[in-house]
Amino acid sequence: GTYFRDYPSNALLLAAARALGCSVTEVTTSVLAQLTDRLSPFHNLLSLGSLGLRVACAEARLLWRASRRLVAAHDVLFIGYPGQLDALLLGRVARASSKPLVYAPLVTLTETLVEDRAVVPPNSPRARLLRWLDRAALRAATVVIADTAEHARAMQALSGLPPSRFAIVPVGADEALFDPERVSPAQRAAYRRQWPNADAEPLRVLFYGSFIPLHGTATIVQAIAQLSASEVSCVMIGAGQCWEQAYNLAADAALRHLRFRPPVPADELPHWIAAADVVLGIFGDTAKAAQVVPNKVYQAMAMGAALVTRESPAVRSLLQHDRTAVLVPPADPAALAAAIRRLRDPAFRARLGAAARETFLQQASAPVRQRLLQQALEMACARVRGDGGR
C-alpha cells in the first residue's frame, strides 16, 4: 500500500511479523510520504482533489504490481498506516483471491482530520467523504488491528462491524532502540547539559512530539508557567500544527526555563529520555486522546522513565496512577504543574520508572506484540477458510 514505511507502528508490526517467521513481501509507493505538509491537501476541495489524483495513480501502480500470481503466493494481505484507499481497493483483490486482508489503520481520517486536528469542518462534504472512506476501508478488512480496546470500540461504532472483526495489538516501542542500558552515563550527562538553567540542577522535564491537538502542548506550557525556574527546567522537542501557539504562550509568559528544539532523529530520543527526570505524555481533551496510548508513552515506559500523562480509559488499561505513572485530568495545567512538583522526589521517580518498565515488558514488549499479532493473523485466515465466516 501507500503506508509510511518508517512510521513506528508500521515498522514494529513488520518486525513482529518477521520475528514470527513470516516471509514478508513489501509492495509500496511513497506518494503520501512525499508530502511536506500532510494537512495542507485537506484545507480545500481543489488540493484534496489533486492529492486524490496522485493517490489514484499510485493505487493503479499498486494494483498492477499486486498481480494475481504474487497474491496467490502469500497467505495474507496486510495494509498499514495510512491505508484507507489501499484497504478499499486491495480488499477486492483479496476477495477475488480468497485471501484475508488484515488492516492496521492506527487512526481513522475522521478522528484525525475532523475531530482531533479540526482542519475539516464536521458537517462539510469533505468530512462526509472521509467518514465514508473510513467506514468502507474498515469494512473491506477481514480483521482490523486496533491499538487499544477503546480505539477498537470507536472504530466498531464508525464501521458497524462486530467486535469479532477486531484484534488488539499495542503500539509498543522499538526495544532495540529504547533500552536504558544503551545510554552511557557520559551520554546522559551530555544531554542533561542541554536543558535551560542546567547548572542549577532543576527538575528536568521533557516533551517531544509533533505538536498536534492530541498532545495538549498549550497545557504543558501553561503548567510550566506555574512552576519557577528553580523548580523545573523544560525542553519541548518537535514541530507541528500547535507549535506556534505553544511558542507564543511561552514567549508571552517570558518562560526562560522552557526551551523549544526542532525535531531530532529517532535514535537521539533515548538519550533525551534518559537525561530527563520526568517525561510528559499527552494532555489533549479530544475523543481521540482518550482512546489511544501513543508511541511516546510506550517509549518512556521502555526506558524506565518517570511519566506523567492524561488519565483516560485507554491509559487506565495499561497504567496505574501513582504506581506506574502520574495520571492527570486532560487540559488541566494546574493538575499537571502539581504532578510535576510531586516528582521532585527522586525516590518517587525511581519507583514509577521501574514499575513502568516492568509493565511495558509484561504488556507491550516484542514477545507480547508478536503473540497478539499471530492471533490476529490466525483469526483472519480462519475467517476466510470459513471457520468464522467473513
Side-chain angles (χ1 to χ4, degrees):
T2 53
Y3 57 93
F4 302 143
R5 294 189 68 193
D6 296 331
Y7 200 83
S9 62
N10 291 332
L12 289 170
L13 283 169
L14 284 170
R18 291 187 170 106
L20 288 171
C22 298
S23 174
V24 179
T25 301
E26 292 191 69
V27 181
T28 184
T29 177
S30 60
V31 61
L32 295 176
Q34 294 169 355
L35 293 174
T36 55
D37 180 0
R38 293 171 187 168
L39 294 181
S40 60
F42 297 94
H43 286 290
N44 59 71
L45 285 173
L46 183 62
S47 57
L48 184 59
S50 174
L51 174 64
L53 180 61
R54 281 177 286 163
V55 171
C57 292
E59 295 293 348
R61 292 194 298 271
L62 286 172
L63 288 171
W64 178 76
R65 292 173 63 191
S67 64
R68 182 171 297 179
R69 182 163 54 183
L70 178 65
V71 172
H74 293 77
D75 300 302
V76 176
L77 276 74
F78 196 102
I79 304 293
Y81 161 78
Q84 278 75 11
L85 275 177
D86 301 333
L88 188 60
L89 297 177
L90 292 172
R92 296 179 177 273
V93 175
R95 287 192 294 274
S97 306
S98 298
K99 301 290 182 178
L101 178 71
V102 176
Y103 178 31
L106 184 63
V107 293
T108 65
L109 295 172
T110 301
E111 64 189 349
T112 296
L113 298 171
V114 181
E115 298 169 1
D116 190 58
R117 303 201 188 189
V119 296
V120 176
N123 296 316
S124 67
R126 282 172 288 156
R128 290 193 290 272
L129 173 63
L130 294 175
R131 280 192 289 270
W132 174 85
L133 183 55
D134 280 328
R135 177 182 171 86
L138 292 168
R139 294 183 68 84
T142 313
V143 168
V144 178
I145 290 180
D147 54 324
T148 69
E150 289 71 23
H151 207 188
R153 282 191 280 270
M155 288 191 281
Q156 290 164 24
L158 176 64
S159 65
L161 292 173
S164 60
R165 294 278 289 274
F166 289 81
I168 310 299
V169 181
V171 170
D174 182 355
E175 291 145 88
L177 186 61
F178 293 92
D179 179 354
E181 299 298 323
R182 290 174 55 89
V183 181
S184 70
Q187 290 171 323
R188 181 175 182 270
Y191 276 82
R192 283 177 70 83
R193 289 193 291 271
Q194 299 189 53
W195 262 262
N197 198 26
D199 294 339
E201 288 295 316
L203 186 75
R204 289 167 171 83
V205 177
L206 173 68
F207 169 83
Y208 62 90
S210 51
F211 282 76
I212 58 177
L214 176 142
H215 291 161
T217 47
T219 297
I220 295 173
V221 174
Q222 291 162 349
I224 297 301
Q226 298 182 31
L227 299 164
S228 69
S230 63
E231 291 179 296
V232 301
S233 174
C234 183
V235 169
M236 298 182 71
I237 299 173
Q241 181 184 356
C242 299
W243 183 91
E244 186 174 0
Q245 177 199 28
Y247 181 84
N248 289 338
L249 283 171
D252 291 344
L255 298 184
R256 293 185 175 85
H257 53 305
L258 170 59
R259 179 175 295 166
F260 291 88
R261 297 185 63 93
V264 301
D267 59 6
E268 280 191 34
L269 290 175
H271 298 84
W272 283 101
I273 296 171
D277 298 308
V278 176
V279 177
L280 303 180
I282 63 171
F283 305 94
D285 58 358
T286 63
K288 177 181 171 184
Q291 295 162 2
V292 302
V293 178
N295 200 237
K296 68 175 87 283
V297 166
Y298 288 111
Q299 291 166 352
M301 294 174 67
M303 290 292 294
L307 172 70
V308 185
T309 193
R310 67 153 286 177
E311 187 276 341
S312 72
V315 164
R316 282 200 307 270
S317 68
L318 179 70
L319 296 168
Q320 291 180 281
H321 177 58
D322 278 4
R323 294 191 62 183
T324 50
V326 178
L327 306 182
V328 298
D332 189 334
L336 177 55
I340 293 171
R341 188 174 281 120
R342 288 181 62 211
L343 284 165
R344 288 175 58 81
D345 178 356
F348 185 32
R349 296 199 304 270
R351 288 197 304 271
L352 283 181
R357 177 161 172 79
E358 183 60 28
T359 298
F360 173 84
L361 294 175
Q362 292 177 359
Q363 298 192 38
S365 61
V368 174
R369 299 195 307 272
Q370 291 162 23
R371 172 175 54 81
L372 294 173
L373 177 61
Q374 180 173 353
Q375 292 173 0
L377 297 175
E378 290 174 348
M379 183 169 69
C381 292
R383 292 190 67 86
V384 168
R385 287 197 304 267
D387 296 352
R390 174 128 184 165

